[in-house]
C-alpha cells in the first residue's frame, strides 16, 4: 500500500501517524514537506506517480488536478462536492470525516442490517456553542446528553447536528423496528476521530475496489467501517425492546 499525504492541519498530521500503524503500508509520501522521522517508509515527494491514493485535509482540494492527471485516486476530509472536479476519471472520496464518514456510514450499515426499520436517527457533534433546546441526543461519556438541531429529515431518517465546545466529539446512531431499538455511540477527542475517519477512507480507496467518480464513505460502508475498527475506532452499543 503506497499512500501520499497532503496535509496542513493537526488532523492531517494525526492521519499520518495512524497510517504508519497500517501493517500493509509500504510507503507514506509526504507531499512537498520535509520528513524528519526516521521510519524507512516515510519520504518527501513532489510527484504522485506510482501511489495508490493521495489523502488530503485541504478544504480546497488543491491537489486534485495533479492527482487526476497522475491517475491517482483521492480521499478528502472536506465534505463538499462544490470544490471537487466534475466526473473525475479516478475514485474521489469526499467527506471522509466524523459526520459524513463515520456517522453516515454507521447509519447506512445499521439500516441495511435491520431490513425494515421504522425509524433511524443519526447525530454528530460539530464545533459550536451548545444549545439549550431542540432534539435530545445522548452520546457516550465524556460528551454525554446534549441538545441538537435537525439538519435533514427524509422518510424514516433524521439527521441531527449537536453543537459542542471543547476538544471532544461524538456520533450516535439509533435504529428501530417493531421489535427492538439498537443504539451505537462514539466519543473521543475530535482531532482523533477526524483523523481516524480520514485514515479509514485512505485505506478503503487504496484497496483498489472503488469505482471512478465521486464517492462517499457510506457508499462502501462495510469496507470503510472495518478499516476504521481495525485502525482503532471504539463503538459502544446497546439494544433494547421497542416500546409499543
Amino acid at each position: 500500500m503506497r499512500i501520499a499525504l497532503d496535509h496542513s492541519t493537526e488532523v492531517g498530521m494525526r492521519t499520518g501517524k495512524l497510517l504508519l500503524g497500517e501493517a500493509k503500508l509500504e510507503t507514506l509520501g509526504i507531499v512537498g514537506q520535509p520528513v524528519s522521522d526516521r521510519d524507512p517508509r516515510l519520504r518527501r515527494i513532489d510527484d504522485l506517480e506510482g501511489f495508490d491514493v493521495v489523502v488530503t485535509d485541504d478544504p480546497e482540494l488543491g491537489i486534485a488536478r495533479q492527482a487526476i492527471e497522475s491517475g491517482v485516486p483521492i480521499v478528502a476530509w472536506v465534505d463538499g462536492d462544490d470544490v471537487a472536479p466534475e466526473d473525475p476519471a479516478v475514485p474521489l472520496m469526499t467527506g471522509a470525516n466524523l459526520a459524513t464518514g463515520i456517522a453516515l456510514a454507521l447509519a447506512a450499515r445499521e439500516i441495511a442490517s435491520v431490513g425494515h426499520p421504522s425509524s433511524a436517527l443519526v447525530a454528530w457533534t460539530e464545533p459550536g456553542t451548545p444549545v439549550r433546546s431542540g432534539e435530545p441526543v445522548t452520546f457516550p461519556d465524556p460528551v454525554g446528553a446534549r441538545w441538537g438541531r435537525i439538519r435533514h429529515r427524509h422518510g424514516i431518517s433524521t439527521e441531527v447536528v449537536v453543537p459542542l465546545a471543547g476538544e471532544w466529539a461524538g456520533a450516535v446512531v439509533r435504529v428501530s423496528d417493531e421489535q427492538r431499538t439498537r443504539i451505537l455511540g462514539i466519543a473521543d477527542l475530535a482531532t482523533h476521530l477526524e483523523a481516524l475517519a480520514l485514515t479509514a477512507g485512505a485505506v478503503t480507496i487504496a484497496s483498489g475496489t472503488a469505482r471512478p467518480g465521486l464517492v462517499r464513505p457510506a457508499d462502501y460502508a462495510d469496507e470503510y467501517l472495518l478499516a476504521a475498527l481495525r485502525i482503532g475506532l471504539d463503538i459502544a452499543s446497546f439494544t433494547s425492546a421497542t416500546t409499543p
Side-chain angles (χ1 to χ4, degrees):
M1 187 182 295
R2 293 168 52 82
I3 297 177
L5 175 62
D6 170 50
H7 73 83
S8 58
T9 70
E10 178 66 20
V11 169
M13 293 180 66
R14 283 177 175 260
T15 297
K17 293 178 181 179
L18 291 173
L19 285 169
L20 288 173
E22 274 295 296
K24 294 182 180 180
L25 182 74
E26 298 176 15
T27 303
L28 181 60
I30 307 300
V31 180
Q33 297 189 41
V35 174
S36 57
D37 194 294
R38 294 184 179 180
D39 191 308
R41 298 170 297 173
L42 268 173
R43 62 184 176 91
R44 173 189 168 130
I45 61 169
D46 297 295
D47 188 346
L48 300 178
E49 293 286 348
F51 282 86
D52 299 314
V53 64
V54 57
V55 55
T56 180
D57 60 7
D58 178 10
E60 301 299 324
L61 269 179
I63 203 167
R65 177 175 294 181
Q66 181 185 353
I68 291 170
E69 291 176 351
S70 300
V72 179
I74 308 158
V75 173
W77 176 86
V78 67
D79 176 28
D81 294 344
D82 54 332
V83 298
E86 293 185 9
D87 299 322
V90 297
L92 169 50
M93 177 180 282
T94 61
N97 53 50
L98 173 61
T100 51
I102 292 174
L104 292 188
L106 266 179
R109 180 68 186 86
E110 282 303 302
I111 290 171
S113 68
V114 170
H116 299 285
S118 56
S119 67
L121 179 140
V122 55
W124 61 85
T125 59
E126 289 185 354
T129 302
V131 295
R132 297 183 178 182
S133 63
E135 190 75 14
V137 182
T138 300
F139 298 87
D141 290 335
V143 177
R146 301 281 173 173
W147 293 103
R149 300 189 183 99
I150 294 176
R151 171 73 58 85
H152 181 70
R153 208 177 239 140
H154 180 72
I156 64 164
S157 298
T158 302
E159 296 178 5
V160 177
V161 175
V162 178
L164 182 66
E167 62 183 353
W168 300 101
V172 167
V173 172
R174 186 173 69 230
V175 179
S176 300
D177 61 14
E178 294 181 354
Q179 297 181 330
R180 64 173 189 164
T181 295
R182 180 165 165 80
I183 302 172
L184 302 176
I186 299 162
D188 210 321
L189 290 170
T191 51
H192 176 69
L193 287 177
E194 298 291 357
L196 197 154
L198 187 54
T199 305
V203 172
T204 300
I205 297 299
S207 68
T209 59
R211 59 174 172 79
L214 291 173
V215 299
R216 295 294 184 94
D219 296 332
Y220 298 91
D222 286 349
E223 297 92 330
Y224 180 82
L225 292 172
L226 282 173
L229 289 167
R230 190 174 68 250
I231 293 162
L233 179 67
D234 289 324
I235 303 174
S237 64
F238 175 74
T239 303
S240 66
T242 300
T243 302

